[in-house]
Amino acid sequence: MPQKNSFDKNDLIACGNGELFGEGNARLPSDNMLMMDRVIKITEEGGKYGKGEIIAELDITPDLWFFDCHFKSDPVMPGCLGLDAMWQLIGFFLGWAGGPGRGRALGVGEVKFTGQVLPTAKKVTYRIDLKRVIKRKLFMGLGDGVVEVDGKKIYEANDLKVGLFTDTSSF
């Protein structure tokens, strides 16, 4: 059976429940912390560095949970949620690529915020270009990411790093 290259919301929820990559392996966050509605493209080739790419989307509606609390009378999506979404996607990529273990964000080189997500926006698009994928005892992905709102680039993150670990007791 060929590997899937796109995933809908039900697939992403199944991933959060441990049903997509197997028990003990990469999961997406569930409920409010799942920062995407679909993965529209995931490949092990292509992208800026030829190591793979991921494109995912989040539909924006004014009733999203974070608009009520960040900030009162000045609603904006927290930038850290966009950054977390990019880490989520690299972890998802590693699970999709067959990596064993649980995902953990390991860092980021540089982040730039040049815009914002307001309740009036329609769609956030995440684009990740994998720079390096290590598939040895350590299963790790390193990539660059961009967040766009309604087609306008608003965040950039370089050297996003995520690893998969079969034992997380030492964290």
Side-chain angles (χ1 to χ4, degrees):
M1 172 188 278
Q3 191 172 28
K4 284 180 68 164
N5 294 103
S6 63
F7 296 85
D8 64 19
K9 183 74 171 217
N10 289 329
D11 295 326
L12 302 179
I13 291 168
C15 183
N17 292 330
E19 300 164 0
L20 197 59
F21 304 128
E23 189 61 38
N25 290 326
R27 291 184 181 209
L28 285 168
S30 57
D31 304 321
N32 285 340
M33 284 305 297
L34 177 61
M35 294 308 302
M36 66 214 65
D37 290 313
R38 67 200 144 269
V39 173
I40 61 173
K41 182 179 183 182
I42 184 169
T43 65
E44 286 193 273
E45 301 85 32
K48 186 174 173 183
Y49 305 103
K51 305 284 184 181
E53 70 178 320
I54 314 158
I55 302 171
E57 297 175 333
L58 172 68
D59 296 323
I60 301 298
T61 59
D63 62 343
L64 286 169
W65 68 274
F66 44 79
F67 288 132
D68 283 337
C69 55
H70 189 269
F71 300 97
K72 296 243 184 242
S73 75
D74 182 22
V76 61
M77 178 177 150
C80 60
L81 294 180
L83 178 61
D84 195 70
M86 291 186 276
W87 278 319
Q88 290 177 24
L89 285 166
I90 293 175
F92 184 84
F93 178 91
L94 295 173
W96 172 84
R102 295 174 169 95
R104 295 295 186 264
L106 299 174
V108 62
E110 180 181 31
V111 180
K112 293 180 186 176
F113 297 104
T114 56
Q116 59 187 346
V117 180
L118 300 174
T120 54
K122 299 298 178 210
K123 181 173 62 178
V124 170
T125 304
Y126 308 102
R127 299 180 190 279
I128 307 289
D129 291 301
L130 278 296
K131 295 169 88 169
R132 186 169 181 209
V133 179
I134 299 169
K135 296 181 178 182
R136 294 191 289 263
K137 184 177 179 181
L138 171 65
F139 220 92
M140 188 179 80
L142 181 71
D144 292 343
V146 169
V147 177
E148 300 170 351
V149 63
D150 296 334
K152 178 187 174 201
K153 182 168 63 171
I154 59 166
Y155 312 160
E156 286 182 79
N158 296 320
D159 298 327
L160 293 150
K161 192 184 310 182
V162 175
L164 296 183
F165 299 88
T166 53
D167 180 7
T168 58
S169 63
S170 62
F171 276 81

